Amino acid sequence: MHFVYVLYSEKINRYYIGETHDVQGRLEKHNTGYYDEKWTERGKPWRLAVEIGCGDKKQALSIERHIKQMKSKKYIEDLAAFPEKVEKLKARFPPDC
């Protein structure tokens, strides 16, 4: 199973959107220095704001791309607050069968 995850950093007041098969492992990597030379280094500590379970990697990548294209904190906050928005998003980008 693949996931789209959204991390939030209070330190820089920014969100980070990614895709993975291991959300907790990826969160740990972002917070422990595994990505020291990357953009997320400046936002530590990160917390998980949204986790979306997807049927396959293609669906996860499509949803990740869509969220990034929205370029909206409000959109991300709505995904976190309203589970029905996540379900609509998953229906819009169904997994390959």
Side-chain angles (χ1 to χ4, degrees):
M1 183 171 216
H2 281 265
F3 299 87
V4 175
Y5 65 95
V6 181
L7 305 180
Y8 177 72
S9 168
E10 282 189 34
K11 182 178 176 181
I12 60 174
N13 190 29
R14 297 284 300 265
Y15 288 97
Y16 176 83
I17 302 130
E19 177 276 329
T20 186
H21 67 279
D22 178 11
V23 176
Q24 290 306 315
R26 187 62 58 90
L27 177 60
E28 186 177 314
K29 285 181 176 182
H30 283 294
N31 281 326
T32 60
Y34 183 84
Y35 298 115
D36 274 349
E37 301 296 319
K38 304 296 182 192
W39 180 87
T40 57
E41 172 64 19
R42 63 187 176 148
K44 291 191 308 189
W46 293 92
R47 70 168 175 80
L48 185 62
V50 178
E51 179 179 332
I52 302 171
C54 299
D56 59 23
K57 187 172 184 170
K58 183 178 178 188
Q59 181 186 33
L61 291 172
S62 295
I63 292 172
E64 175 193 19
R65 183 173 40 255
H66 171 76
I67 295 170
K68 287 179 176 181
Q69 288 173 343
M70 294 302 291
K71 297 183 181 197
S72 170
K73 286 183 179 183
K74 175 74 171 126
Y75 185 76
I76 292 169
E77 290 164 357
D78 283 351
L79 288 175
F82 304 106
E84 63 272 13
K85 289 193 177 270
V86 171
E87 292 308 313
K88 285 182 182 179
L89 188 56
K90 288 168 70 172
R92 181 175 173 187
F93 300 100
D96 283 342
C97 295

